[in-house]
């Protein structure tokens, strides 16, 4: 390594969530391989972190409803277990974790001698409603340590005076601050009194070929529309089926919504991170309501249609699509959707400019 100083990366790496493991992998890989730094992911993993992604978890305070939901889950158990195993394998293969696991927020905050520089990001690590927000705001005495934020997201769109009062003391202690969304960057700039840049999510730091190296190619004989469904549900299916009819394609869907068996759709509950990359790479079209699904599709230069399922949480999607000039690929009304009304544009040059600016921020912060 060019630099023997140790860098600790604090992020969301434990969830069985595609975006979480992708962004953790990408930021660590770029810092290690491109910037030649000694970096590892801090294994901050409490019992609550682990419990949140159990296959059979409490979903209702009503015991009867909970039992019925567990019965539905049981019908998909083998697929869900396979998916969980694939996530574990991905983390084991591609994430370098600290040898020490921190089982509580206080344990982490009390042991900050391990690293010379702490980087927090990306994902919604700056959400002030997070139970462990003090850990993700690096709320410990610096004692010569550097604190850097790369592409954190707040996960909220309304910033109250109470929010500002809660997080401002911690933000002021950072050496370098950035945000994933323009709105969040403007908010931090305003409350700390200096300009804070909006930078790209870490997944953009790795190019198309880098992601293809991780992809497991699906054995599909028929061309397909690939749906990555977070919470769009039937509205996503309306869009995907419309494309499939027009272009004579099959519809394949990756979802964790186990109560949804969409009619006429090949629904998969067992797709891991590498497998999802393979399905995106091989698709004729991608339909999703996911930010990271959109981002990986853009990186892989796929024809992607993004449905806004949750308008209050859509800022991170609209921020990147507006900058790239791909807003016409964003759909808010599935019932009026027509694929022939969408013109897929070339955005490579604009994306390169945005990535270059983000890389400069990261390089400068780590000098």
């Amino acid at each position: 390594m060019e630099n023997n100083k140790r860098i600790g990366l604090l992020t969301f790496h434990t969830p069985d969530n595609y975006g979480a493991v992708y962004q953790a992998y990408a930021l660590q890989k770029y810092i290690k391989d491109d910037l030649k730094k000694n970096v590892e992911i801090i294994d901050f993993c409490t019992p609550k972190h682990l419990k949140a992604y159990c296959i059979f978890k409490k979903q209702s305070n009503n015991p009867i409803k909970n039992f019925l939901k567990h019965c539905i889950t049981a019908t998909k158990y083998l697929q869900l277990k396979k998916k969980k195993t694939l996530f574990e394998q991905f983390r084991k293969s591609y994430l370098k974790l600290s040898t020490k696991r921190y089982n509580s927020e206080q344990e982490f905050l009390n042991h900050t001698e391990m690293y010379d520089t702490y980087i927090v990001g990306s994902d919604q690590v700056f959400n002030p409603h997070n139970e462990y927000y003090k850990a993700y705001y690096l709320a410990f005495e610096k004692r010569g340590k550097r604190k850097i934020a790369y592409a954190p997201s707040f996960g909220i769109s309304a910033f109250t005076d109470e929010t500002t009062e809660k997080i401002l003391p911690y933000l002021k202690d950072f050496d370098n601050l950035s945000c994933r969304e323009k709105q969040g960057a403007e908010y931090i700039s305003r409350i700390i009194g200096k300009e804070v840049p909006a930078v790209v999510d870490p997944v953009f730091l790795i190019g198309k070929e880098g992601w293809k190296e991780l992809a497991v190619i699906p054995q599909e004989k028929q061309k397909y529309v690939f749906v990555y469904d977070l919470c769009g549900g039937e509205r996503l299916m309306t869009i995907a089926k419309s494309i499939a009819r027009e272009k004579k394609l099959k519809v394949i869907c990756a979802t964790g919504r186990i109560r949804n068996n969409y009619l006429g759709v090949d629904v998969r509950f067992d797709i891991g991170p590498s497998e999802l990359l393979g399905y995106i790479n091989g698709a004729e079209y991608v339909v999703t309501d996911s930010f990271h699904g959109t981002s990986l599709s853009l990186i892989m230069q796929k024809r992607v249609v993004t449905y806004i399922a949750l308008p209050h949480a859509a800022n991170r999607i609209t921020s990147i699509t507006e900058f790239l000039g791909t807003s016409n690929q964003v759909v808010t009304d599935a019932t009026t959707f027509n694929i022939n009304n969408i013109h897929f544009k070339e955005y490579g040059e604009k994306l390169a400019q945005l990535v270059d600016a983000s890389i400069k921020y990261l390089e400068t912060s780590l000098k």
Side-chain angles (χ1 to χ4, degrees):
M1 290 292 175
E2 177 185 278
N3 192 333
N4 289 325
K5 290 188 175 181
R6 300 190 70 194
I7 298 172
L9 174 57
L10 186 65
T11 187
F12 295 153
H13 68 283
T14 58
D16 294 339
N17 173 287
Y18 301 108
V21 296
Y22 291 151
Q23 61 83 26
Y25 164 77
L27 186 53
Q28 182 184 60
K29 178 176 173 58
Y30 187 82
I31 294 171
K32 175 180 177 291
D33 292 351
D34 291 76
L35 300 184
K36 309 299 181 185
K37 303 292 185 182
N38 184 6
V39 60
E40 64 184 19
I41 294 172
I42 300 167
D43 195 10
F44 175 47
C45 182
T46 71
K48 282 192 175 181
H49 279 119
L50 297 174
K51 189 177 180 180
Y53 287 87
C54 289
I55 293 176
F56 293 102
K57 59 184 177 182
K58 184 177 179 181
Q59 299 181 13
S60 172
N61 290 323
N62 184 314
I64 296 176
K65 286 184 178 180
N66 212 47
F67 172 74
L68 292 174
K69 288 179 179 180
H70 282 177
C71 289
I72 296 171
T73 300
T75 65
K76 305 291 189 299
Y77 175 77
L78 291 179
Q79 292 186 68
L80 294 170
K81 178 62 176 176
K82 179 180 177 182
K83 177 182 174 181
K84 191 168 187 65
T85 299
L86 290 171
F87 266 92
E88 291 169 354
Q89 290 175 350
F90 186 92
R91 280 188 285 264
K92 185 176 180 180
S93 298
Y94 300 115
L95 302 186
K96 180 187 176 184
L97 303 184
S98 60
T99 53
K100 178 175 176 56
R101 169 170 283 188
Y102 300 88
N103 295 303
S104 72
E105 180 179 69
Q106 201 56 51
E107 183 182 13
F108 164 68
L109 294 174
N110 287 344
H111 295 86
T112 57
E113 71 283 351
M114 297 292 292
Y115 306 98
D116 302 285
T117 297
Y118 285 80
I119 301 177
V120 63
S122 171
D123 229 322
Q124 295 184 25
V125 290
F126 270 7
N127 191 323
H129 305 305
N130 187 321
E131 180 177 359
Y132 306 112
Y133 79 95
K134 287 186 178 180
Y136 294 106
Y137 277 90
L138 305 181
F140 55 81
E141 187 177 344
K142 290 178 76 171
R143 295 180 181 174
K145 312 292 184 182
R146 289 182 59 78
K147 296 182 181 181
I148 298 169
Y150 182 82
S153 175
F154 286 97
I156 58 174
S157 55
F159 301 99
T160 65
D161 291 340
E162 289 76 15
T163 298
T164 301
E165 184 178 354
K166 183 177 183 178
I167 66 175
L168 183 57
Y170 306 124
L171 290 176
K172 286 182 174 179
D173 208 32
F174 275 78
D175 295 279
N176 299 87
L177 281 164
S178 64
C179 192
R180 191 170 62 187
E181 292 87 32
K182 181 180 177 182
Q183 184 183 24
E186 291 173 346
Y187 167 66
I188 300 176
S189 298
R190 176 169 57 81
I191 65 173
I192 69 170
K194 61 181 180 181
E195 187 173 351
V196 170
V199 296
V200 293
D201 185 278
V203 297
F204 288 100
L205 301 177
I206 298 177
K208 178 181 178 180
E209 295 306 315
W211 287 113
K212 285 177 67 175
E213 287 177 4
L214 301 185
V216 172
I217 307 302
Q219 301 301 310
E220 297 291 339
K221 296 180 180 179
Q222 186 178 347
K223 293 183 178 181
Y224 59 90
V225 178
F226 182 64
V227 182
Y228 172 15
D229 171 29
L230 281 182
C231 52
E234 291 292 350
R235 293 157 297 180
L236 276 179
M237 292 308 120
T238 297
I239 296 170
K241 289 179 179 180
S242 173
I243 298 173
R245 284 193 302 269
E246 179 70 25
K247 305 298 181 181
K248 296 180 173 53
L249 302 169
K250 177 183 179 180
V251 180
I252 299 174
C253 175
T255 184
R257 296 158 59 83
I258 59 175
R259 284 173 289 174
N260 291 353
N261 282 303
Y262 304 113
L263 186 64
V265 175
D266 185 355
V267 181
R268 310 284 178 84
F269 299 95
D270 59 355
I271 294 177
S274 292
E275 290 71 23
L276 190 85
L277 292 171
Y279 275 104
I280 290 175
N281 184 60
E284 298 297 308
Y285 291 86
V286 177
V287 178
T288 186
D289 59 336
S290 155
F291 167 77
H292 283 106
T294 300
S295 300
L296 268 298
S297 299
L298 291 169
I299 293 167
M300 292 185 172
Q301 300 171 344
K302 295 280 113 179
R303 289 171 286 195
V304 57
V305 176
T306 304
Y307 176 68
I308 301 298
L310 302 173
H312 68 277
N315 188 47
R316 56 183 180 163
I317 291 175
T318 56
S319 287
I320 189 70
T321 54
E322 285 174 6
F323 183 87
L324 297 181
T326 60
S327 294
N328 74 315
Q329 295 168 224
V330 177
V331 177
T332 55
D333 184 356
T335 61
T336 61
F337 172 79
N338 185 334
I339 188 62
N340 295 315
N341 294 333
I342 293 184
H343 305 287
F344 296 95
K345 299 178 180 178
E346 170 56 43
Y347 51 82
E349 187 175 337
K350 286 186 176 181
L351 180 57
Q353 292 173 359
L354 193 59
V355 172
D356 285 346
S358 301
I359 287 173
K360 287 178 182 177
Y361 165 80
L362 193 54
E363 289 177 340
T364 302
S365 299
L366 288 173
K367 280 186 179 179

